[in-house]
Amino acid sequence: MKVREAAISDAAAVAAIYNDGIAGREATFETRPREPAEIEARIASGAHPLLVAELDGDVAGWAGLAPYSDRSAYRGVAECSVYVASARRGRGIGTHLLDALAEDAERRGFHKLLGKLFPTNA
């Protein structure tokens, strides 16, 4: 498995994994599916890191940061998300993504990452 920064060409795979998580209702409160163009814009902005895990040549999961608050007191704080393709779960991909995301976030000056988890999400 290889974890790397997401490229624009990964947008469709990232959107598919995200939408699977939205539809499954176990990883997010989001209800609106995402279009690849939305993911392309997020990747292109470079405002917050978005990483992907490649396994057997395919994007198997992604992890990214999003702003936690626009208040200056929360500069350096971000909300993190980790999504793994349903067929690839249970292989440690999410753990690898989260570890890589934490390292990348620290290099970028973030000092706190927050995540919201459902208690039923294994």
Side-chain angles (χ1 to χ4, degrees):
M1 175 183 12
K2 174 183 176 184
V3 175
R4 60 171 174 77
E5 286 190 39
I8 297 295
S9 60
D10 298 318
V14 170
I17 293 167
Y18 194 11
N19 291 339
D20 186 46
I22 291 170
R25 306 300 307 142
E26 61 188 15
T28 182
F29 292 110
E30 295 286 348
T31 57
R32 183 183 59 80
R34 298 305 192 264
E35 296 292 327
E38 293 175 89
I39 305 301
E40 288 175 13
R42 180 176 176 178
I43 293 167
S45 80
H48 287 82
L50 185 74
L51 306 177
V52 296
E54 278 186 10
L55 186 63
D56 302 327
D58 295 321
V59 174
W62 65 273
L65 296 184
Y68 176 70
S69 172
D70 59 359
R71 295 173 58 194
S72 62
Y74 292 102
R75 189 177 308 118
V77 178
E79 183 176 348
C80 61
S81 297
V82 178
Y83 288 80
V84 177
S86 56
R88 303 294 183 125
R89 293 178 189 155
R91 301 179 188 190
I93 294 169
T95 299
H96 285 288
L97 280 164
L98 185 57
D99 289 345
L101 185 64
E103 289 176 18
D104 189 88
E106 186 174 20
R107 280 192 301 273
R108 293 174 187 248
F110 290 95
H111 62 269
K112 182 179 274 193
L113 302 180
L114 302 170
K116 299 172 185 162
L117 306 173
F118 291 127
T120 55
N121 187 336

